[in-house]
């Protein structure tokens, strides 16, 4: 089939590579978000999807909005059979949805109807799900509510961060997306409506949501930090300054500590929660480099009065 691929971040690259390499399909163009500032120098860079497409000699479309008349006209000229989507990052109007004869097929990183929305992997980790996966579905106007073509499952490991889990789903999901497009082309695959029961929402997790509540149980603190790694990054305050924290290790055998209180030894830094302490891993004080918690503690020398808040 003639495909126009829509995607933006690194997460979309395994799918785009898989489709470019497929002998059955022809990726004739990609749609991605406009070039944006990134990195320490805030220079303008193309999206990862745009970079890969340009390397492969594929036309790149960067509409400010997917409803822009010039974009819609170019899409009609290209005449795609289907438009696969992986983390595009913008709403698609009905005028765009109507152009390809097989519609727009989205790869979503959850087992729909669970975790509809922008942050399904983060919410699966945050809520302690043991199994998640990816789904391919036909996009309709309602958010992530279209009929499902196929799914793949993935175990959530006890120490998984959102970044690690998403990386695995991006790879397995790429194969699912290819199999879905093959089945659509063969006329052997039909989408099945999502059940009305079991719907849950996964809104974007912002900076305020990523603040650690040390009065919560250790399990909740652990899940929040892993869910927010690498983005937006879990954080707390120490002596009035923001400190980012990497994944922690629950320490149920350690002596109890009051919520937010710090206990430093030669080889570890413990922080108290509502239940048992957690052992801090990597720490990044505001404006400074990432470091191990023991190194950070040697520099700040916490007292008995100091707390993480």
């Amino acid at each position: 089939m003639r495909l126009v691929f829509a995607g933006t971040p690194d997460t979309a690259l395994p799918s785009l590579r898989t489709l470019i390499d497929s002998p059955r399909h022809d990726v004739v163009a990609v749609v991605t978000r406009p070039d944006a500032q990134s990195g320490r120098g805030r220079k303008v860079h193309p999206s990862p999807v745009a970079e890969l497409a340009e390397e492969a000699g594929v036309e790149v479309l960067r509409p400010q909005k997917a409803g822009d008349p010039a974009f819609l006209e170019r899409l009609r000229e290209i005449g795609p059979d289907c438009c696969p989507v992986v983390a595009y990052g913008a709403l698609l109007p009905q005028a765009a949805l109507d152009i390809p004869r097989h519609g727009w097929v989205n790869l979503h990183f959850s087992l729909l109807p669970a975790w509809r929305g922008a942050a399904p992997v983060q919410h699966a980790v945050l809520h302690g799900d043991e199994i998640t996966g990816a789904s391919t579905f036909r996009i309709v106007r309602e958010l992530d509510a279209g009929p499902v073509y196929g799914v793949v499952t993935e175990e959530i490991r006890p120490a998984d961060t959102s970044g690690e889990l998403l990386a695995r789903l991006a790879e397995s999901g790429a194969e699912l997306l290819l199999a879905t497009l093959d089945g659509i082309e063969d006329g052997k695959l039909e989408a099945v409506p999502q059940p009305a029961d079991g719907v849950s929402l996964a809104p974007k997790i912002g900076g305020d949501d990523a603040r650690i509540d040390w009065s919560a149980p250790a399990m909740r603190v652990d899940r929040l930090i892993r869910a927010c790694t690498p983005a937006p990054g879990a954080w707390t305050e120490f002596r009035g300054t923001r400190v980012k924290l990497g994944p922690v290790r629950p320490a149920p055998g350690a002596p109890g500590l009051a919520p937010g209180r710090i206990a430093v030894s030669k080889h570890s830094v413990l922080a108290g929660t509502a239940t048992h302490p957690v052992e801090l891993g990597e720490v990044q004080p505001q404006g400074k480099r990432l470091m191990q918690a023991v190194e950070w503690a040697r520099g700040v020398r916490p007292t008995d009065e100091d707390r993480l808040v």
Side-chain angles (χ1 to χ4, degrees):
M1 290 192 292
R2 286 172 59 82
L3 304 177
V4 171
F5 180 90
T8 298
D10 289 330
T11 304
L13 297 184
S15 290
L16 179 55
R17 289 193 188 98
T18 297
L19 297 180
I20 289 174
D21 292 342
S22 170
R24 292 191 55 173
H25 306 290
D26 183 15
V27 180
V28 294
V30 303
V31 184
T32 191
R33 301 293 293 145
D35 297 353
Q37 291 181 333
S38 63
R40 180 165 294 183
R42 307 304 296 166
K43 294 182 180 179
V44 176
H45 295 282
S47 73
V49 162
E51 290 182 335
L52 178 57
E54 288 169 348
E55 290 173 7
V58 175
E59 179 181 355
V60 178
L61 306 175
R62 298 177 174 89
Q64 290 292 332
K65 294 182 179 179
D68 290 349
F71 165 69
L72 295 175
E73 181 57 32
R74 179 59 188 143
L75 195 60
R76 293 187 189 97
E77 291 172 355
I78 294 171
D81 297 308
C82 187
C83 294
V85 183
V86 184
Y88 171 47
L91 295 175
L92 296 165
Q94 193 63 45
L97 297 180
D98 291 340
I99 291 175
R101 62 191 181 98
H102 290 299
W104 296 65
V105 176
N106 190 40
L107 173 64
H108 183 77
F109 297 112
S110 80
L111 298 176
L112 291 169
W115 303 131
R116 294 176 179 175
V121 175
Q122 291 170 315
H123 280 272
V125 173
L126 179 62
H127 289 83
D129 293 359
E130 295 181 353
I131 298 291
T132 187
S135 308
T136 48
F137 70 95
R138 183 162 180 156
I139 293 179
V140 296
R141 294 191 69 177
E142 186 180 353
L143 177 67
D144 297 335
V148 173
Y149 286 105
V151 300
V152 62
T153 60
E154 179 73 34
E155 178 185 1
I156 301 179
R157 300 167 187 168
D160 265 339
T161 66
S162 289
E164 293 164 344
L165 178 57
L166 183 56
R168 298 202 304 274
L169 289 171
E171 295 292 340
S172 59
E175 297 302 321
L176 171 64
L177 182 59
L178 176 60
T180 297
L181 297 174
D182 288 348
I184 291 172
E185 184 180 41
D186 292 339
K188 298 179 180 179
L189 187 61
E190 290 196 13
V192 177
Q194 294 184 34
D197 296 332
V199 174
S200 53
L201 300 180
K204 181 178 179 180
I205 294 179
D208 291 343
D209 305 313
R211 184 170 189 168
I212 300 162
D213 176 8
W214 296 103
S215 67
M219 179 183 294
R220 175 71 179 182
V221 171
D222 169 47
R223 289 175 179 173
L224 174 70
I225 295 173
R226 289 187 292 110
C228 295
T229 302
W235 62 279
T236 187
E237 285 190 354
F238 179 77
R239 295 176 183 167
T241 301
R242 182 178 293 206
V243 178
K244 276 193 173 184
L245 296 184
V248 298
R249 184 178 65 85
L257 289 170
R261 184 172 178 188
I262 305 166
V264 181
S265 68
K266 184 176 180 180
H267 300 293
S268 69
V269 179
L270 299 176
T273 72
T275 51
H276 52 262
V278 295
E279 181 179 345
L280 305 189
E282 292 183 319
V283 175
Q284 186 173 22
Q286 191 168 13
K288 297 184 179 180
R289 62 177 176 83
L290 193 67
M291 63 187 75
Q292 292 298 315
V294 171
E295 181 184 0
W296 168 75
R298 280 200 302 265
V300 298
R301 298 181 181 273
T303 68
D304 289 344
E305 289 73 33
D306 283 323
R307 296 286 190 277
L308 298 173
V309 295

